[in-house]
Amino acid sequence: MGQQLGFDLPVRTARAREDFFVSPANAMAVAMIENWQNWPSRKLLLIGPEGAGKTHLAHVWAQDSGARIIVARDLCGADIPALAKAPVAIEDAEDIAGERTAEEALFHLHNLVLAEGHSLLVTATGPAQRWGLRLPDLQSRMQGTQTATLSPPDDRLLGAVLLKLFADRQVAPSPEALNHLLRHMTRDFATARAVVAEIDRVALAEKRPITAPLVRRVLTQMAT
């Protein structure tokens, strides 16, 4: 019998506060997001590896504070004075390092948001001193911003992240499949996202449930 064709269903990412699993790896960062009214100088830099939950927490904060969310690369075409009329979350700030126009836009937005009495959340994968910023005034402001860090996942967090990634795709692994993943996959968020996507693709194409043998086969294929 030929291989069954699968259909790519939309991935519905859940980003409510109750969808974010708290563990020792991220508890401090979550507490700081929830206590945003008390940020020093009304600003926070949230850092962590890809897939760690920075975007999720930015959406949680935006829902709570009424903030607008913008990707740093979009700042060049943005109306900075209009953005500064409310709290702002700026994602992937390190992506604009070395781009003078974008750096200047972030610098002006930073100053205007705070001057208007609002709060500012900035996300990145690492600390500001590693971004490679060219604008000294922006670098000093970013390096002077209090930082909250999302650490690499422990067992409880990685298991919760895997279950959430599967749930976003409207599928569920067997307990044995999940345990096999936790024991044998590379332990980082980016790998978790890639592995879940490939397992879902194979299971859908073959019309099979997500079992330990299927997971074992997918991990072996991805490692070659």
Side-chain angles (χ1 to χ4, degrees):
M1 180 180 294
Q3 187 182 51
Q4 297 290 323
L5 295 177
F7 298 92
D8 290 330
L9 296 174
V11 179
R12 299 189 180 121
T13 303
R15 286 179 175 155
R17 171 61 184 86
E18 59 268 21
D19 299 311
F20 194 92
F21 184 85
V22 180
S23 86
N26 60 28
M28 183 61 69
V30 172
M32 293 180 72
I33 289 292
E34 293 179 339
N35 195 38
W36 64 273
Q37 296 94 335
N38 295 315
W39 290 348
S41 302
R42 298 194 307 278
K43 58 181 180 176
L44 181 73
L45 174 59
L46 178 64
I47 65 172
E50 180 184 350
K54 298 186 297 296
T55 293
H56 191 150
L57 285 180
H59 280 79
V60 169
W61 179 68
Q63 185 175 31
D64 191 26
S65 66
R68 307 174 190 181
I69 300 176
I70 185 168
V71 176
R73 285 194 175 277
D74 293 338
L75 288 174
C76 289
D79 184 338
I80 300 301
L83 275 176
K85 297 298 183 183
V88 180
I90 303 166
E91 294 200 90
D92 306 323
E94 75 273 27
D95 288 351
I96 64 171
E99 299 180 14
R100 186 168 185 84
T101 302
E103 288 192 21
E104 289 176 347
L106 177 53
F107 173 71
H108 292 308
L109 179 58
H110 168 282
N111 292 344
L112 281 174
V113 167
L114 300 183
E116 291 283 351
H118 300 302
S119 298
L120 178 71
L121 175 67
V122 180
T123 75
T125 57
Q129 58 265 33
R130 298 180 186 173
W131 299 355
L133 295 171
R134 303 286 183 84
L135 193 63
D137 287 340
L138 176 61
Q139 183 171 359
S140 67
R141 282 160 175 75
M142 290 295 99
Q143 289 186 201
T145 301
Q146 181 169 352
T147 299
T149 302
L150 295 167
S151 301
D154 52 28
D155 282 348
R156 292 177 64 229
L157 179 56
L158 184 59
V161 167
L162 288 167
L163 286 174
K164 180 182 181 301
L165 290 171
F166 281 117
D168 288 344
R169 293 174 173 274
Q170 303 172 60
V171 295
S174 70
E176 296 77 15
L178 182 64
N179 287 334
H180 188 85
L181 277 173
L182 288 172
R183 289 196 304 270
H184 298 287
M185 67 173 282
T186 301
R187 304 180 66 79
D188 63 68
F189 296 108
T191 297
R193 191 178 301 278
V195 166
V196 167
E198 182 61 12
I199 290 172
D200 184 34
R201 185 193 68 78
V202 172
L204 186 62
E206 298 180 0
K207 304 294 186 184
R208 294 177 182 272
I210 300 175
T211 61
L214 185 145
V215 165
R216 187 180 304 113
R217 176 159 54 90
V218 169
L219 288 179
T220 300
Q221 291 171 346
M222 293 182 72
T224 58

